[in-house]
Amino acid sequence: MEKEEYLQVYRHSLAHILAKAVIEIYGDETQYAIGPQIEDGCYYDFVLPRTVTEDDFKTIEDKMHEIIKRREDFVRKEVSRDEALTVFKDQKFKSELIHDLPQNEIITLYYTGSDYVDLCRGPHVANSQELMGAAFAIKNVSGAYWRGDSRNQMLQRIYGTAWANEEQLKNYLHMLEEAEKRDHRKLGRQLD
């Protein structure tokens, strides 16, 4: 697997670890929507019993590390539409996505351990131990409308950044700090 392709798989797998961590922290009533990899990491959208703040970032990161250390398998399973709807009967966003799939679509689920399942095409790492050296951090949280439509429910989007090693993560976070110092919107307010 090429380096860039591996980084995408790595980040996508971390999105599932992020979702699993958030569910373990905030409880089974958590509604989870989507969680793709992005250019510098991943994000996941949720409806949670309370607002996530910067004070929660370390707790989420620590839970992610704990899950990775469990060395849980990522298991792919093809299922029927009815099976998928049964699995996600209490997850309204996943159920909506399943209903919107074309009738002939192959539906795949990915299990991380025995207690987390996601509607996903993959691919993922085979086992969470492949993420042991993961260099990641929770970057921020924002609001996001379900499916990008302001008529839909507002979700909490938790962003994580993920890199091949600690040095790359440190350099990236330093670059973000430097960019923030030079933010013209911030500088303009300071001059006023």
Side-chain angles (χ1 to χ4, degrees):
M1 188 180 308
E2 291 181 27
K3 185 177 180 181
E4 187 57 37
E5 184 183 359
Y6 177 74
L7 196 54
Q8 289 177 1
V9 169
Y10 168 92
R11 288 173 171 161
H12 193 174
S13 300
L14 279 171
H16 285 233
I17 299 291
L18 168 60
K20 183 171 179 162
V22 168
I23 292 165
E24 287 186 16
I25 293 166
Y26 294 96
D28 290 336
E29 69 276 2
T30 299
Q31 291 287 310
Y32 54 111
I34 60 167
Q37 79 273 6
I38 54 177
E39 184 178 338
D40 68 343
C42 61
Y43 69 80
Y44 219 106
D45 292 342
F46 302 95
V47 174
L48 298 168
R50 70 171 181 80
T51 302
V52 173
T53 68
E54 201 170 317
D55 293 338
D56 299 310
F57 292 0
K58 182 169 182 347
T59 302
I60 295 169
E61 291 167 6
D62 289 347
K63 181 59 80 172
M64 290 174 71
H65 282 292
E66 176 190 317
I67 291 166
I68 289 168
K69 288 177 185 172
R70 293 179 199 159
R71 300 172 190 253
E72 295 178 324
D73 289 329
F74 279 74
V75 177
R76 180 182 184 273
K77 183 178 180 186
E78 288 186 17
V79 297
S80 69
R81 181 178 305 274
D82 288 341
E83 286 175 283
L85 288 168
T86 299
V87 168
F88 293 109
K89 68 183 182 304
D90 297 325
Q91 291 293 326
K92 65 181 177 180
F93 303 110
K94 298 295 182 186
S95 295
E96 183 179 321
L97 291 171
I98 293 164
H99 282 295
D100 290 348
L101 290 172
Q103 285 300 316
N104 60 347
E105 182 85 12
I106 294 173
I107 298 174
T108 56
L109 308 181
Y110 272 86
Y111 289 81
T112 306
S114 61
D115 58 345
Y116 174 75
V117 62
D118 208 343
L119 176 69
C120 186
R121 289 189 181 105
H124 292 285
V125 297
N127 186 286
S128 64
Q129 73 181 353
E130 294 179 53
L131 304 171
M132 290 285 230
F136 62 87
I138 300 302
K139 191 169 66 171
N140 64 356
V141 63
S142 69
Y145 290 110
W146 169 236
R147 294 187 155 184
D149 187 336
S150 63
R151 294 170 296 184
N152 289 337
Q153 185 172 359
M154 177 66 76
L155 310 173
Q156 292 187 68
R157 178 169 289 173
I158 300 174
Y159 287 94
T161 186
W163 298 90
N165 57 53
E166 287 294 331
E167 183 179 350
Q168 287 180 359
L169 174 62
K170 183 179 170 187
N171 290 341
Y172 179 76
L173 294 175
H174 178 72
M175 188 251 336
L176 290 180
E177 286 174 21
E178 291 300 314
E180 190 174 328
K181 289 178 190 174
R182 291 164 180 73
D183 185 336
H184 69 279
R185 294 169 296 185
K186 185 177 175 183
L187 291 172
R189 284 193 304 269
Q190 289 172 346
L191 294 174
D192 292 341

